[in-house]
Amino acid sequence: FASLEKIFIREEMYIDFKKYSDKESLYQYLYDRFAPHKKKLLRAITDEDLGRLTQIPMIRITRFDTIKAEAHMKELDDKIEQVKHHLENLTEYAVEFFKRLKKNYGEGRERKTEIKTLETIEAKQVIMNNEKLYVNREEGFVGTGLKKDEFVCECSDLDDIIAFTREGKMKVVKVSEKAFIGKGIIHLAIFKKNDEQTTYNMIYRDGPKGITFMKRFVVSGVTREKEYDLGKGTAGSEVLWFTVNPNSEAEKVTVHLRQASGLRKFEIEVDFGEMQVKSRNSVGNIVTKYTPKKVTLREKGKATIGAIDIWFDESVHRLNKENKGTYLGKFFNEDKIITITTSGYYRIYSPDLLNHFDEDIILIEKYYPQQTISMVYFDQDSKSFFVKRFTPESISAKTLIIPEGEGNYVEFVTSQLNPVAEIQFAKDKGLAIKPEKINLVEFVPPMGIKAKGKKLSANKIKEVNLLIPSEEENDYDEDIGLSPVELHKRALSRLKSKDNKGFFGEDGQTKLKFD
């Protein structure tokens, strides 16, 4: 094409373009003009070549440099000859090619990108909670624009909202500035599709003077914007009792009845644990045919389903129940997860699979209120490592636990009961310093979450690592979260099993006091 362009401009074929009104006649003109030059071309001319020629800007034509074009074509000829030579000596070329790759991209140029597993994630799973949801219960409106009304929770603009009213109606709507649900909203939350764990316990009266029913149900798939009746749909129905139970808890309540002729018993005890969980459109079981006055709680509900096993998938930074990634433990809805990042932030999360986590997480595990966290971090201002031990507070806000400043970072963090750090020192005046092991529990006591901590060493530290605990020390991990009494019993059991003479008398009574 470089040859074609040179001939086209040198022979000034573009001057007569205005004589041709259609493409067919113009192309035929060009074919005729190029006919005497066919021997100079490497291949036959096509309509596509002619189309490219007609698109050359006039400024390029007027500034065309013949000498430069000749040099360019000479360079192309040399490359063509070189490629022909490589093809004729393909084995030798391949060997040299790989030698060159090794030299240019070998030692010192190792791969820095991370290989991660890709999976399909819905947009609503990864979008941040960038909105605040409000509700006007009496008027029946929900939305992000009702800023003068009751705050419910943070949400994203892709979330769905589930709401229940005093008349026994239920509706799922998309998050918006303002949406009408129905007057007398009694419950409002982010809707989790296909949630078979959250159970709703309800007692309602069918109509102003109708029969009172009780029911337990779950809500999984629904049609958005559609209003559902949780009872028979009779006008004037009223919900007398309603609870949301994340782990299918079943409480016991007392239904108090109004006085009526022939009525001798004015209280009815109801146990939701004796009732089967059914679909939302079931009518339920009859509680009484008499008029109820009120319903009161007799005993809080206990979970009727087990805890959920949860894993953390490092490749996508998501929680899951499919055995992907690191196992975090068994969780009820009231349980929490703690995370700490390299940049020095900690945060407490609920075990919600829709949670969003920071990319630089250095610790993620189940949270226990009495658990002590030990950490070593680097302070850029003093060019020193510090040790800090603290008990995290149960707050959901993102909290900085190291001094603020560029270059500060967490070296390691652990919830081990007896962590030991190994320090490698830099040479001092050319002399090597022997590595040192430090028990962090003995080195520094627990302190406040905002405390700076204690300097790890006055010597210049080259490297500091957390040592892996022995299997015996690891056994203590299961004690986290137990009551002090149970911890005391387990400690005594361990001491006895190891036959620690001097701790116990002949009667087996402990001589060791536990703090």
Side-chain angles (χ1 to χ4, degrees), residues 93-106:
Y93 171 73
V95 171
E96 291 301 320
F97 177 81
F98 283 110
K99 283 182 178 179
R100 189 167 68 253
L101 282 180
K102 186 175 181 180
K103 179 182 177 181
N104 294 339
Y105 306 102

Side-chain angles (χ1 to χ4, degrees), residues 245-268:
N245 306 282
N247 299 300
S248 195
E249 292 87 349
E251 67 272 17
K252 296 178 181 179
V253 299
T254 301
V255 180
H256 303 267
L257 305 177
R258 296 186 183 278
Q259 291 187 358
S261 58
L263 181 62
R264 295 182 179 180
K265 188 177 180 181
F266 293 95
E267 293 181 354
I268 301 175

Side-chain angles (χ1 to χ4, degrees), residues 342-356:
T342 305
S343 52
Y345 286 92
Y346 99 89
R347 188 172 180 178
I348 306 296
Y349 292 84
S350 64
D352 191 336
L353 300 186
L354 299 181
N355 277 331
H356 312 276

